[in-house]
Amino acid sequence: MSEHTPYDLRIASGGDRFPVTEERPPLSWKLPRTWSEQDGYDLQFRIDGAEQTVKNVASARHLFVEWPLPPLRSRQSVRWRVRTHRGGQSSPWSSWHEFEAGLLDGDWAARWISPQEDGTEPRPAYVLGGTVELRDDIAAARLYSTALGVYEAFVNGARVGTAELTPGSTSYGDTLYAQAADVTALLRGGANDLEILLSDGWYRGSVGTWRKRDAWGTTTAARLQLHVRYADGTEAVAVTDADWTSRRGTIVAADLMNGQTTDFTAPSGDARPVLVDAVSAPPISWSPAPPVRRVEQLAPRSVTRHADGAWIVDFGQNASGWITLTDLGPAGARTVIDYGEHLDPTGDLTTTHLDSQKPGEAAIPFVQRDEVVSSGSPGQVFEPRHTVHGFRYARVRRTGADLDPASIVMQVVHTDLRPTATFACSDDGLNRLHEVARWSFRGNAVDIPTDCPTRERLGWTGDYQIFAPTASRLYDVDGFSRKWLRSVRDDQLDDGRVVNSSPDANRLKVHDDPMVNGITGSAGWGDAIVLVPWVLYETYGDTAALAENWPAMRRWVEWALSTARNARHPSRVERSAAPLTHEEFVWDGSFHWGEWLEPRQRAADGSLIDPVMSDPMAWYMADKGEVGTAYLFRSVRTLADVAEVLGRAGDAARYRETAEKVRRAWQTEFLDAEGRTKAGTQASYVRALAFELVPEELREKAARHLVDLIDAADGHLRTGFLSTADLLLVLADSGHPDVAYSVLFQRSSPSWLGMLDRGATTIWEDWDGVSEDGTATASLNHYSKGAVIRFLHTHTLGLRQAPGSAGWESFVVAPVLNEAITWATGTFDSPQGQITVGWRVEDDHLTISIDVPGGSKAQVRFPDGSTFHTGPGRFDRRHPIS
């Protein structure tokens, strides 16, 4: 492709082997590599072979361009290309890009079919089957399918597509996605067998810490529609209906969290008529996200025999997925596989650190277990695709036969996100930290952004609003995030509150639960509905993400403002019966999680003190108004920015004025004249500086107070869940890069590198996730603290987007040096094209080299303040370090 030609055409949509969209997909392309901008473009379309052209559009926009034609109809195929203009010049036409419209909701003729169940526990997977007679002259065929549950589709015994765990995790009361596949090569003239393998999945299976079931319904169902086009242009359609049957198969138990049991000796169940339209379901939509797939395989690092006879398999990496087993032993041999993250001092698998317990109740043991019974047939393979696990280790037991270690493989399974960044530097510890954090996010990107792939697997809003800026550097998470945000909107309560995790298995919107209701609407969690779409706009230029989330953002912010006006914390009521003037904008009178998971203190006996479990009521009632008001300011100010982008000038002015009132209220209540926060914690200073709550004349003093607290902690961080991601950024940007690097390089607990020294391959939930004696606590794959690696990209490498830029139209390269690091390199596949940055310190000189893509301009800053500007192309400069 010529450097003068637009390239990398895309639509904002997902799909398995080809992009599939709804009726009005936004269009994006990258400018010619030598162009800094465009002032117009032409578009050429071939829709079902018919050509249409859109000419001479005067616009600089080339990202998320609105669909310029009438809405697409079901199943239309589209080829399109673009030619850009600049100053009277026209580029050559781009290459063609192809996609298809899905089968839109109004055109589904298929019925919902459900298996006849016999109440067996644990619940099995069911095989739903039908047949279709076809002619020999098949030209093309598309299969459209979906389910309430997790399903696989088969045509003549061959599995359809590469997507796993379809149709994915959504708020099933409002949203359901379908999948499309080209099955032309799987069909034949004559009778064709169609099958759906259906299990509980997210819809009806165990969900969350307490393993709740039947969250979205009590009856699973599936829907399938096959469209076949013959050589003469005529079509045949086959659908799920009353002619289909259901039976039990070899999967005798299937639960997404607990595991899968396959018995290859189980007799095929009797075929029974299916139940037709026994469920109600939302309209069918098409996901903007890439699918979950088997992304890679890991062979065991070691397989050892434990004293009790079990094999302990170590894959060397904590991840999400399952095991494929090719040696099943002779007929009747039973193999039991338990999965976990940790080994006890004897070398045996332990999962007790993942048990869940409510105060005064017995613990719920954490179990991830797959089982298989062999039929003895040659070539038989066990792959449990109706469950998924978080694990590094597996304990394998088999009765009546030995085990071939070479037959065991880990399948790494998660959303197939496109990587967009690389990073490396002269310090191996930081390189390893980068990989560990990246693995942690991968393990928690299984269709939705989860907190952990083990104990809960919930789409916690707080976790993702913290990590989204880092995720958007590492991977293309635009469609992935927009899919999840739709669930956040679906679950939003009528009063505007955003629930703690989405999809909401509690279904608080329709089922009142006083306890859950009482802890819903927290600052830092609900604010995800404002902050995540803004990240998508800043990173990708995705204005559609702002527009579709605007009503939900506004409802959340208005609820928070109303709560600040009308509810007060008891401590302020005690201070003054009547609210002080500024208290109208202090958000303190409702529940907040607050600065969750600050490093725990130790009791006299050395044990860790849990501030929540030791006194739940005191923690619940504590004044967290500093956190609430800070996030209220940030979200109101961001909402003003969103309104401005969307052309809502009145809303922008009103929310900007309100944000200033909230900022002044925070300063009045939580900051003194010497720049000290009332809370006096590291977290409070980080938040105050990161959110720009501190007046300019006090920022230096506030930063000094933060440094003093770090010094008092012997160079350790004491920040928690909400503020740790911003700690190093704040230190470096406030004139203390030496302190930032000192904290980063810290190796005693709490520290990131300390986790690695104790064997972490993913980020831990607790800083002391594995104690010195080898005891594990809480989750060993909780990705939020891994957001620290954004600092490696923005400060160590020095690549960050310029203030006010969106979609990386403008960026800054300004490495923050440290004597322990002599070089760094990295890339970022931005919406404009790939940015490459490299720097090296030699002989008291710093050499910086960058590649600037078309559509971008760059500013390069050396440590002495020398600044250079450049457009598309290569930049190299060697400069003395003063």
Side-chain angles (χ1 to χ4, degrees):
M1 178 62 65
S2 165
E3 63 181 7
H4 306 294
T5 304
Y7 66 104
D8 198 14
L9 279 61
R10 297 171 183 237
I11 60 167
S13 191
D16 184 2
R17 287 176 166 157
F18 51 88
V20 184
T21 182
E22 296 190 7
E23 60 265 36
R24 300 183 64 90
L27 309 173
S28 297
W29 59 89
K30 290 175 181 172
L31 297 184
R33 289 178 172 86
T34 56
W35 288 28
S36 59
E37 60 186 7
Q38 70 176 32
D39 54 35
Y41 57 85
D42 302 326
L43 295 169
Q44 192 173 59
F45 297 89
R46 291 177 181 168
I47 301 178
D48 286 346
E51 189 164 307
Q52 300 185 58
T53 303
V54 177
K55 293 184 177 179
N56 298 320
V57 178
S59 173
R61 187 176 183 85
H62 65 100
L63 300 175
F64 299 94
V65 173
E66 290 188 6
W67 180 250
L69 299 175
L72 293 170
R73 300 188 306 275
S74 286
R75 304 171 48 235
Q76 286 192 303
S77 64
V78 180
R79 301 182 77 216
W80 70 285
R81 61 181 182 171
V82 62
R83 178 172 63 190
T84 53
H85 307 306
R86 180 186 60 171
Q89 274 187 302
S90 291
S91 75
W93 284 102
S94 70
S95 297
W96 292 95
H97 177 250
E98 299 182 21
F99 65 90
E100 295 182 10
L103 183 63
L104 304 179
D105 184 69
D107 293 320
W108 281 77
R111 308 281 292 275
W112 281 105
I113 59 172
S114 302
Q116 288 198 38
E117 300 185 70
D118 51 18
T120 302
E121 291 287 347
R123 294 167 176 163
Y126 288 89
V127 180
L128 310 178
T131 60
V132 57
E133 289 281 342
L134 298 175
R135 292 172 10 200
D136 290 328
D137 58 331
I138 298 170
R142 291 289 185 268
L143 185 76
Y144 303 97
S145 52
T146 188
L148 300 175
V150 158
Y151 81 98
E152 299 174 87
F154 297 83
V155 174
N156 292 321
R159 189 169 183 265
V160 173
T162 66
E164 303 289 351
L165 304 176
T166 50
S169 177
T170 60
S171 296
Y172 284 101
D174 296 275
T175 298
L176 178 65
Y177 294 119
Q179 288 69 49
D182 181 349
V183 294
T184 310
L186 303 181
L187 295 170
R188 61 192 177 221
N192 289 262
D193 294 324
L194 307 177
E195 286 189 339
I196 300 169
L197 185 57
L198 179 65
S199 65
D200 287 3
W202 286 278
Y203 180 76
R204 197 180 69 164
S206 302
V207 178
T209 309
W210 315 115
R211 297 293 201 270
K212 292 182 178 179
R213 298 203 306 175
D214 302 333
W216 303 97
T218 58
T219 302
T220 58
R223 202 177 184 190
L224 175 150
Q225 192 156 321
L226 173 68
H227 286 256
V228 178
R229 189 179 77 249
Y230 294 116
D232 63 2
T234 59
E235 287 198 345
V237 179
V239 300
T240 47
D241 57 22
D243 292 334
W244 280 54
T245 61
S246 71
R247 61 177 174 82
R248 293 187 57 159
T250 58
I251 300 178
V252 298
D255 185 271
L256 205 61
M257 293 192 77
N258 297 335
Q260 175 177 322
T261 300
T262 298
D263 185 351
F264 286 114
T265 68
S268 181
D270 294 333
R272 300 179 179 181
V274 293
L275 306 176
V276 178
D277 295 334
V279 298
S280 59
I284 288 175
S285 305
W286 294 90
S287 174
V292 173
R293 285 196 180 98
R294 290 168 288 178
V295 175
E296 66 177 287
Q297 295 182 347
L298 297 179
R301 178 173 292 180
S302 66
V303 181
T304 57
R305 199 72 180 262
H306 194 258
D308 66 358
W311 287 271
I312 302 299
V313 187
D314 178 6
F315 292 97
Q317 177 61 56
N318 204 0
S320 67
W322 52 66
I323 283 176
T324 297
L325 194 61
T326 56
D327 169 26
L328 305 187
R334 177 179 288 272
T335 306
V336 179
I337 306 168
D338 286 291
Y339 299 79
E341 303 175 309
H342 192 60
L343 301 182
D344 68 17
T346 73
D348 195 11
L349 184 77
T350 179
T351 57
T352 55
H353 61 289
L354 296 169
D355 294 349
S356 301
Q357 187 170 16
K358 294 180 180 179
E361 296 184 12
I364 300 176
F366 178 77
V367 176
Q368 299 179 124
R369 177 175 296 154
D370 294 336
E371 300 186 41
V372 58
V373 178
S374 173
S375 70
S377 298
Q380 202 162 64
V381 176
F382 174 60
E383 184 175 9
R385 294 195 296 258
H386 286 251
T387 190
V388 68
H389 307 300
F391 67 106
R392 170 180 172 173
Y393 303 97
R395 182 203 293 122
V396 184
R397 296 180 184 273
R398 174 171 293 169
T399 57
D402 209 343
L403 174 72
D404 178 8
S407 73
I408 306 171
V409 174
M410 175 197 276
Q411 301 285 353
V412 179
V413 180
H414 56 74
T415 298
D416 195 5
L417 299 170
R418 180 175 62 89
T420 52
T422 62
F423 170 84
C425 72
S426 60
D427 187 272
D428 289 338
L430 297 186
N431 295 335
R432 177 63 183 148
L433 175 62
H434 189 273
E435 282 305 289
V436 165
R438 193 173 68 91
W439 270 105
S440 202
F441 176 61
R442 289 177 62 184
N444 281 291
V446 182
D447 207 56
I448 59 171
T450 58
D451 57 333
C452 63
T454 50
R455 185 189 64 229
E456 295 185 64
R457 307 189 191 179
L458 297 177
W460 282 89
T461 48
D463 298 59
Y464 198 53
Q465 75 88 8
I466 292 165
F467 200 83
T470 306
S472 64
R473 176 63 70 94
L474 299 176
Y475 294 95
D476 180 352
V477 295
D478 187 59
F480 173 79
S481 303
R482 287 178 66 182
K483 172 189 175 296
W484 175 73
L485 284 165
R486 180 161 175 174
S487 288
V488 177
R489 298 195 304 271
D490 286 345
D491 297 334
Q492 188 173 25
L493 305 185
D494 291 341
D495 61 11
R497 281 180 297 163
V498 171
V499 298
N500 290 318
S501 64
S502 282
D504 179 24
N506 293 303
R507 302 201 67 187
L508 191 60
K509 191 170 75 172
V510 295
H511 298 308
D512 184 37
D513 183 323
M515 187 190 79
V516 176
N517 189 66
I519 58 173
T520 296
S522 171
W525 275 254
D527 295 290
I529 192 60
V530 178
L531 303 178
V532 174
W534 184 249
V535 168
L536 302 185
Y537 167 70
E538 286 191 314
T539 305
Y540 306 107
D542 189 351
T543 51
L546 299 182
E548 66 194 10
N549 287 288
W550 167 260
M553 295 181 190
R554 189 171 179 177
R555 289 173 58 212
W556 163 253
V557 165
E558 290 295 346
W559 174 82
L561 287 168
S562 174
T563 304
R565 282 193 303 272
N566 298 314
R568 301 171 69 204
H569 190 267
S571 65
R572 289 182 182 79
V573 175
E574 184 177 344
R575 179 181 70 185
S576 170
L580 303 181
T581 303
H582 70 277
E583 286 187 46
E584 178 183 355
F585 298 101
V586 173
W587 186 17
D588 66 339
S590 59
F591 172 81
H592 297 301
W593 292 103
E595 189 60 33
W596 183 250
L597 286 181
E598 288 174 295
R600 290 193 279 177
Q601 303 298 313
R602 292 190 179 273
D605 63 359
S607 62
L608 293 169
I609 301 171
D610 187 329
V612 178
M613 296 300 290
S614 59
D615 193 343
M617 187 52 65
W619 170 81
Y620 181 85
M621 293 301 297
D623 176 15
K624 305 184 185 79
E626 178 268 318
V627 177
T629 308
Y631 268 95
L632 180 61
F633 164 70
R634 188 184 184 199
S635 284
V636 175
R637 185 179 64 173
T638 302
L639 194 64
D641 293 338
V642 172
E644 187 171 314
V645 172
L646 296 179
R648 298 175 174 270
D651 287 325
R654 180 166 63 87
Y655 284 120
R656 212 167 294 288
E657 180 182 358
T658 302
E660 287 308 309
K661 292 177 181 177
V662 178
R663 175 155 46 190
R664 287 195 295 270
W666 186 94
Q667 294 169 350
T668 300
E669 187 68 30
F670 302 110
L671 190 71
D672 71 13
E674 294 300 315
R676 293 187 180 86
T677 65
K678 185 176 181 180
T681 63
Q682 290 185 23
S684 66
Y685 286 107
V686 170
R687 190 163 25 255
L689 292 164
F691 290 9
E692 299 179 347
L693 286 158
V694 180
E696 189 61 37
E697 65 272 15
L698 293 179
R699 285 186 64 84
E700 186 175 341
K701 288 184 177 181
R704 184 69 252 177
H705 296 319
L706 171 60
V707 171
D708 289 344
L709 287 174
I710 293 172
D711 289 343
D714 296 324
H716 291 88
L717 58 82
R718 289 284 182 262
T719 49
F721 191 80
L722 292 175
S723 59
T724 295
D726 290 323
L727 172 62
L728 303 188
L729 309 174
V730 162
L731 287 169
D733 291 345
S734 62
H736 301 279
D738 55 332
V739 181
Y741 277 109
S742 177
V743 173
L744 177 60
F745 281 116
Q746 180 64 255
R747 304 200 89 99
S748 56
S749 185
S751 67
W752 292 280
L753 296 184
M755 288 187 195
L756 272 58
D757 290 343
R758 282 178 278 164
T761 64
T762 47
I763 300 295
W764 297 340
E765 181 177 12
D766 284 351
W767 291 106
D768 297 286
V770 177
S771 64
E772 292 182 2
D773 67 2
T775 302
T777 59
S779 164
L780 300 184
N781 190 356
H782 240 74
Y783 67 105
S784 65
K785 292 184 181 71
V788 65
I789 65 171
R790 180 161 57 113
F791 177 84
L792 300 180
H793 288 272
T794 60
H795 288 67
T796 303
L797 181 63
L799 173 61
R800 67 199 85 162
Q801 193 168 190
S805 171
W808 287 80
E809 293 177 337
S810 179
F811 63 88
V812 176
V813 176
V816 177
L817 302 184
N818 181 269
E819 61 184 11
I821 306 172
T822 58
W823 60 265
T825 63
T827 61
F828 177 57
D829 188 7
S830 82
Q832 310 298 334
Q834 186 172 91
I835 302 167
T836 302
V837 176
W839 63 259
R840 181 176 293 275
V841 174
E842 286 181 319
D843 302 326
D844 296 324
H845 282 70
L846 172 64
T847 301
I848 297 178
S849 302
I850 66 173
D851 289 316
V852 182
S856 288
K857 56 186 177 181
Q859 181 187 106
V860 183
R861 289 203 302 263
F862 284 84
D864 66 355
S866 299
T867 301
F868 304 89
H869 297 269
T870 184
R874 180 78 174 177
F875 172 92
D876 288 281
R877 187 64 60 101
R878 188 170 186 262
H879 198 77
I881 300 174
S882 60

